Amino acid sequence: MTEREAVADWIYILDPKRDTLDGEPSDREAIRRLAEEEPGLELWLSRRNRMKQGERLWFFFTHPEPAVAAVAEVDQEPWNDPDAPDIPYLVGATLLPGATKALYRDPVGRDELGLGQVRSVQKVKPEALPVLLARAGL
């Protein structure tokens, strides 16, 4: 098993109409700007998932056109914040500026990902990973 096979890639769903990051709307433009200016994030998770440091989060934006247009690397495994009882789990991640800029210019659409039902977080399908990596320049 290679190092890359030992880790997972995840789709993280963002709905720009209702989700915010650091008080900003979670649209493609805001995320691209954050990747350049303030790439460190703490993201909300409804369940713990088995994310590990070094895995990637591919951001799927639901509007205006459903597509992956940003990517981050997981900095630390999900944790529970006792000071935020209304948020089940958090995960630390850092946006990858170059790869996010590439995806912003040429996003990966829903059809190319083979996404069925959209949940908040799900693993990337193995057949979609080469397309994501190529578009992101990784």
Side-chain angles (χ1 to χ4, degrees):
M1 179 180 293
T2 69
E3 183 180 330
R4 190 65 225 158
E5 291 171 329
V7 297
D9 284 80
W10 303 85
I11 297 283
Y12 189 92
I13 309 300
L14 284 174
D15 182 347
K17 292 181 177 179
R18 73 179 170 109
D19 297 326
T20 60
L21 291 172
D22 295 335
E24 297 227 9
S26 63
D27 61 24
R28 294 177 193 182
E29 179 62 32
I31 300 302
R32 186 201 53 76
R33 191 172 53 254
L34 281 173
E36 295 289 329
E37 299 170 3
E38 209 175 320
L41 302 172
E42 285 186 359
L43 303 165
W44 178 87
L45 297 170
S46 61
R47 60 178 199 250
R48 189 167 191 286
N49 295 309
R50 298 184 189 269
M51 291 177 188
K52 296 181 179 95
Q53 183 177 2
E55 294 182 335
R56 287 184 289 249
L57 295 175
W58 300 88
F59 292 91
F60 179 82
F61 297 84
T62 59
H63 300 287
E65 299 293 324
V68 168
V71 63
E73 187 172 285
V74 174
D75 295 331
Q76 60 188 114
E77 294 182 18
W79 72 91
N80 183 281
D81 184 354
D83 295 329
D86 55 328
I87 298 174
Y89 296 97
L90 293 168
V91 63
T94 300
L95 289 161
L96 304 177
T100 292
K101 188 183 282 186
L103 287 164
Y104 175 82
R105 285 192 304 263
D106 191 12
V108 179
R110 182 186 191 114
D111 293 343
E112 295 172 281
L113 294 168
L115 283 179
Q117 178 184 0
V118 178
R119 297 184 304 248
S120 60
V121 175
Q122 60 196 67
K123 286 190 177 179
V124 170
K125 293 186 177 190
E127 60 273 15
L129 187 57
V131 175
L132 289 166
L133 292 171
R135 294 274 180 83
L138 296 174

